[in-house]
Amino acid sequence: MEELLERLLEECRPYAQQGRVADYIPELSKARPDTLGVYVIGSDGKHSWAGDCRQPFTLQSIVKPILLLQALLDNGVEGVQSRVGMEATGKPFDAINASDQSLDSGHINPMVNMGAIVMCSLIHGDSYAERFQRLLELTRRLAGDGEVGVDEAVYRSEKSHGSKNRALAYLLKSYGLLEGDVEEVLDCYFRACSIQVDCRSLAHIGAVLSNRGRLPVSNQRIFPSGLARYVNAILMTCGMYDGSGEFAIRVGVPAKSGVSGDIMAVVPTRMGIGIYSPALDGKGNSIAGIQLLERLSKELFLSIF
Ligand code: GLN
């Protein structure tokens, strides 16, 4: 496996030159575009990796499936579905997902920013500090790393350049689709996007989802299997934003990307995969990362289709 990862990594490295590092959050623009790392955790508990896989980066949109899981654990399926829908938007991650006439909870997708902002308001807890702490604890368990924390510089950068997300949140509020204090909910969203991980943590999150809610090796259950099916289905249909259809054809597994250049892929019953390469395509997905996953999928027959 390691040899295969090394070979694919060298084949895919040049693709990074075709992409661009995100700069709309200034702190993210400091990433080195030639970085490329991959980490795989198999259902047998075997770890394999290649490249810059211990380089830290922020979760960004990969926090969305974690937010969805937290929202489902706290509110149940019906509780979540009354606030956030299930259908792909086919639009960019920061788009206003619906026209004014049809802005209702059924049109809010959990894998784009509007849905993620709503899900921040669904986390249970007596105070904002407690609600964020619960999300962080769930992230640590999923990542298999009790040290996971927030990158404060990215958090400050997100917060001071978050006009679009503020606009989305206030629009939701004006339609009665967002409970609670808007600035507090936004703060939770900015902090959540700024949680720092590496390829190993992403592979671990993917491995738990691929193992339907159980930790690899120990098989300890951390959430019900029905919720893994829910999250994986949503990842399959909209985890790669408006590139999800093409990704389903080229790679064929549930996955989530983030604008830091990270991708977390779930191969049901087989493995979790974490990739980092910050140069992005026009839709905000890691360009070398998708190439790498496409090749890995072909070599190991990973597509579920
Ligand atoms: N923090 C980013 C934003 O809100 C997350 C988006 C992403 O990763 N696509 O714009």
Side-chain angles (χ1 to χ4, degrees), residues 3 30 86 106 122 150 160 188 214 276 284 304:
E3 252 169 55
K30 295 182 180 167
M86 287 162 279
L122 299 181
V150 172
S160 54
C188 176
R214 294 177 189 267
Y276 175 60
I304 63 172

Side-chain angles (χ1 to χ4, degrees), residues 71-83:
L72 287 164
L73 287 166
D74 287 356
N75 304 273
V77 169
E78 279 172 28
V80 169
Q81 288 180 354
S82 68
R83 315 302 307 224

Side-chain angles (χ1 to χ4, degrees), residues 24-25 59-62 64 93-94 113 158 165 189-190 193 241 257-260 284:
Y24 75 102
I25 299 168
L59 269 176
Q60 295 301 327
S61 271
I62 299 183
K64 287 169 176 137
F93 61 83
D94 58 349
N113 293 14
E158 295 244 5
N165 287 319
Y189 174 72
F190 295 135
C193 289
Y241 321 116
S257 58
V259 285
S260 55

Side-chain angles (χ1 to χ4, degrees), residues 26-168:
E27 198 61 26
L28 295 184
S29 68
K30 295 182 180 167
R32 273 188 26 227
D34 57 344
T35 313
L36 179 56
V38 56
Y39 203 102
V40 176
I41 302 181
S43 54
D44 54 359
K46 190 171 180 303
H47 290 219
S48 316
W49 63 86
D52 310 303
C53 61
R54 296 316 296 259
Q55 166 79 31
F57 49 85
T58 50
L59 269 176
Q60 295 301 327
S61 271
I62 299 183
V63 79
K64 287 169 176 137
I66 305 174
L67 279 167
L68 177 58
L69 205 48
Q70 184 73 67
L72 287 164
L73 287 166
D74 287 356
N75 304 273
V77 169
E78 279 172 28
V80 169
Q81 288 180 354
S82 68
R83 315 302 307 224
V84 185
M86 287 162 279
E87 303 307 332
T89 65
K91 293 185 182 163
F93 61 83
D94 58 349
I96 294 171
N97 310 354
S99 67
D100 269 9
Q101 289 76 13
S102 64
L103 191 55
D104 66 45
S105 51
H107 293 105
I108 296 175
N109 177 278
M111 293 300 120
V112 296
N113 293 14
M114 262 189 154
I117 291 167
V118 173
M119 291 190 298
C120 284
S121 75
L122 299 181
I123 305 172
H124 287 185
D126 288 337
S127 61
Y128 166 52
E130 187 187 329
R131 287 193 287 278
F132 184 75
Q133 192 58 32
R134 290 187 63 242
L135 178 71
L136 190 58
E137 291 302 336
L138 177 63
T139 307
R140 287 173 173 164
R141 291 199 81 193
L142 290 167
D145 180 353
E147 303 288 300
V148 164
V150 172
D151 180 328
E152 292 293 330
V154 172
Y155 160 67
R156 283 193 300 273
S157 191
E158 295 244 5
K159 197 171 162 94
S160 54
H161 292 81
S163 305
K164 184 78 188 277
N165 287 319
R166 274 201 180 78
L168 295 175

